[in-house]
Amino acid sequence: MSEFLTLKDHVYNYIAKEIQNGTLLPNEKINENEIVKKMNISRTPVREALIQLASEGLLHNVPRKGFVLNHVDESTAKELYALIGLMEGYAAKLVAPTISEKDLKDMDFYVSSMDLAIESNNYEMYYQLQTKFHDVYLNLCDNKTLLSTLAQMKKKFVRKVYSKEGIDDMQQVLRITNDEHRTILELFRDKKYDELEMEVRNHWNVDLAYLEAL
C-alpha cells in the first residue's frame, strides 16, 4: 500500500522539486500566493510545508520578506559530506555482523542496475539506486539517533539528481563511485568491519561535495 500523502506533503514535494530543477534559487523568496493558485489549495498546507522545510534547514524565514531558500555553499557541503561519511561508516560497521545474504544480494542487484543507469546517462535513476543501496544497511541499524541525524543532514541536499554541470565526464565519476559500492559490498561479505567503516567513510568524497551545493 502506498503511503498516504497529505496536502502539506504534496506542497513539500512540489517545492522540493522546484529547488531540484533550479526554478527556485538561493536567497530567492518563495511566492506563497503563486503556490496557492498553481495547486488550487488553501494557504494553510503551504505554510505548513514551508515551516517544515525551514525546520530542516532548507529555508529560512526573513522578517517582512517571507521564506527564502538557503544557500548551501561548497564549504558547507564538504563539512556535511565529512560528517555523513563518519556516521554512515559507523552505521555500516554496526550492522555488518548481522547483515543477511538476501541483503547482500539486494545490494549486488543495485550495483548492477547502477552500471546500466550510468551507461544510459540516466543520472536520476542512478541517484535513486545508490540511495537504495545505502538504505539496505542503514535500515538495519537500530541506532535511531544516528539515523535521524543522518537524515537531517542529507535533507540539506535537495538536488536528488546529478548533472553534467561543472564536470567534464560525469559517467567516469559515477563509474568510480559505483566501483566503491562494489568494494563496500565485498567488505560486507568478507566481514572486514574496520576496512568497511573506512571505505564507507571515504566513499563520501569531500572533493565531490560541490555537486550538492546550491
Side-chain angles (χ1 to χ4, degrees), residues 45-150:
V46 176
R47 294 290 295 182
E48 289 174 346
L50 291 171
I51 290 169
Q52 181 178 340
L53 286 160
S55 71
E56 294 171 355
L58 296 175
L59 309 177
H60 64 282
N61 197 355
V62 179
R64 296 183 298 279
K65 184 174 182 180
F67 288 93
V68 174
L69 177 62
N70 280 332
H71 172 54
V72 178
D73 59 23
E74 186 175 341
S75 176
T76 300
K78 284 184 175 181
E79 290 173 356
L80 287 167
Y81 259 46
L83 289 171
I84 291 170
L86 279 169
M87 299 179 71
E88 195 161 308
Y90 177 58
K93 185 177 181 179
L94 285 177
V95 306
T98 57
I99 197 165
S100 71
E101 185 60 33
K102 179 186 181 303
D103 295 323
L104 297 175
K105 287 181 179 178
D106 286 344
M107 293 167 72
D108 190 39
F109 170 77
Y110 292 134
V111 169
S112 299
S113 299
M114 280 186 275
D115 281 335
L116 296 175
I118 293 167
E119 296 312 311
S120 61
N121 295 313
N122 191 339
Y123 301 143
E124 182 174 0
M125 179 60 69
Y126 174 89
Y127 191 103
Q128 294 171 2
L129 290 166
Q130 67 92 24
T131 299
K132 290 180 179 180
F133 173 90
H134 291 284
D135 281 348
V136 170
Y137 60 86
L138 288 176
N139 288 339
L140 299 173
C141 182
D142 59 5
N143 188 322
K144 304 305 181 186
T145 302
L146 173 62
L147 293 179
S148 64
T149 305
L150 266 174

